[in-house]
Amino acid sequence: MATATTFSIIPSPTTSRLTLRRRSIRCLSSPAPTPPATVLSQDDLKKLSAVKAVEYVKSGMVLGLGTGSTAAFVVSEISDLLSSGKLSDIIGVPTSKRTFEQAKSLGIPLSTLAEHPRLDLAIDGADEVSFRYLGQVDPDLNLVKGRGGALLREKMVEAASDKFIVVVDETKLVTGLGGSGLAMPVEVVQFCWQYNLTRLQELFKKEGCEAKLRLDPDGKPYVTDNSNYIVDLYFKTPIVDANAAGKEISALEGVVEHGLFLDMAAAVIIAGKEGINIKTK
């Protein structure tokens, strides 16, 4: 008996995650039990948003390739489309050594900003997406990025792109940047890093900020691809004025870059319990 199978994404009544349910459609009428629903994991949601984002990619583009778990799905999807012939003449500009190694292993042609100072498109994940700002919907799609340690190269590549698309799952949405209570990274030179750690903590005293030097798994200072350290800022309350905060951080001598990506994203693709949601400016 011939059988066609379709899948539908529906909210589960017992969980906030998406549910994937299989429905069998048979050519001949015959009662059949419905298999139990399968809850989508966070990685499943990341892959959904990544697949949607790659729809923006066209043959002949120079692409900024992001860093992190969600961006890795994007790189893999682009490789699959190149292998199948659905995309061609793609050049990637990776935002980290890690992404370079992944893209190279998958056969994606690679280049640099020196050779391609203007990119058609960049796709990357984010650690936080501000969907409300001072009680209102955030019109600028402001982000926190860089918990993977690649914030400097990410910002350079994405600033050089005509369009920057962000891919996240719904857990990354916050009411004000810093609202997750997780790290907002600041890349600093190694020289006198303690001095800048103290200045950064003092700068955000009102937000109850705690500044910590990022360590690697061996307990040694984490070193970025650019041979710098990272000071992670942990906020008890969200940053009130992200634009002012970004300017104040950048003004500190010895600060290389910060993880506030402000007014840079053209669209944010969010995978969540209601399916795929796209926010644009």
Side-chain angles (χ1 to χ4, degrees):
M1 181 180 297
T3 303
T5 304
T6 61
F7 294 89
S8 61
I9 300 174
I10 61 173
S12 167
T14 59
T15 178
S16 61
R17 292 181 175 177
L18 288 178
T19 300
L20 191 66
R21 177 166 294 168
R22 175 180 291 174
R23 296 179 298 174
S24 294
I25 305 172
R26 297 180 178 272
C27 296
L28 299 177
S29 297
S30 175
T34 301
T38 302
V39 176
L40 293 184
S41 67
Q42 190 173 11
D43 276 350
D44 292 328
L45 296 178
K46 290 177 180 180
K47 187 171 183 179
L48 283 174
S49 61
V51 170
K52 185 66 177 177
V54 174
E55 292 180 9
Y56 286 83
V57 179
K58 307 299 179 186
S59 293
M61 280 187 167
V62 181
L63 301 174
L65 304 177
T67 296
S69 57
T70 308
F73 284 118
V74 173
V75 174
S76 180
E77 181 69 12
I78 290 170
S79 172
D80 289 345
L81 292 174
L82 284 170
S83 297
S84 67
K86 294 179 180 178
L87 283 178
S88 61
D89 300 320
I90 293 295
I91 296 174
V93 177
T95 55
S96 66
K97 293 178 181 178
R98 186 162 73 252
T99 300
F100 173 87
E101 292 299 334
Q102 181 198 8
K104 182 179 178 182
S105 71
L106 294 174
I108 298 174
L110 299 175
S111 188
T112 65
L113 279 179
E115 295 176 344
H116 293 88
R118 187 194 68 78
L119 284 66
D120 297 295
L121 175 69
I123 305 176
D124 204 352
D127 299 305
E128 293 183 0
V129 177
S130 174
F131 69 97
R132 289 198 176 275
Y133 177 70
L134 298 179
Q136 303 295 322
V137 175
D138 188 345
D140 295 326
L141 303 178
N142 287 330
L143 317 167
V144 166
K145 288 179 49 56
R147 287 181 194 149
L151 58 155
L152 174 58
R153 296 190 187 189
E154 287 175 331
K155 189 170 285 188
M156 290 177 69
V157 169
E158 287 146 16
S161 301
D162 289 344
K163 182 177 288 188
F164 172 32
I165 305 297
V166 178
V167 286
V168 295
D169 65 88
E170 64 183 353
T171 65
K172 303 301 174 64
L173 301 179
V174 295
T175 54
L177 298 182
S180 69
L182 300 176
M184 198 289 283
V186 180
E187 188 163 344
V188 301
V189 297
Q190 294 190 29
F191 176 73
C192 289
W193 63 264
Q194 300 96 328
Y195 170 66
N196 270 321
L197 184 149
T198 300
R199 292 202 293 174
L200 286 165
Q201 184 158 301
E202 285 295 311
L203 191 59
F204 297 104
K205 184 184 297 185
K206 291 183 179 179
E207 287 85 357
C209 175
E210 183 178 8
K212 295 182 180 180
L213 179 69
R214 183 177 297 189
L215 304 178
D216 66 19
D218 295 325
K220 298 178 181 180
Y222 175 89
V223 179
T224 71
D225 287 348
N226 318 294
S227 300
N228 297 312
Y229 286 170
I230 288 181
V231 173
D232 286 320
L233 306 183
Y234 297 86
F235 296 92
K236 290 184 179 178
T237 60
I239 300 170
V240 175
D241 188 335
N243 287 290
K247 290 177 181 177
E248 290 183 88
I249 294 172
S250 295
L252 298 177
E253 300 81 6
V255 165
V256 179
E257 192 51 84
H258 56 75
L260 296 172
F261 283 54
L262 308 176
D263 198 20
M264 292 181 65
V268 177
I269 299 173
I270 307 159
K273 62 184 178 181
E274 302 298 331
I276 295 292
N277 189 9
I278 302 177
K279 300 291 187 184
T280 59
K281 290 181 180 177

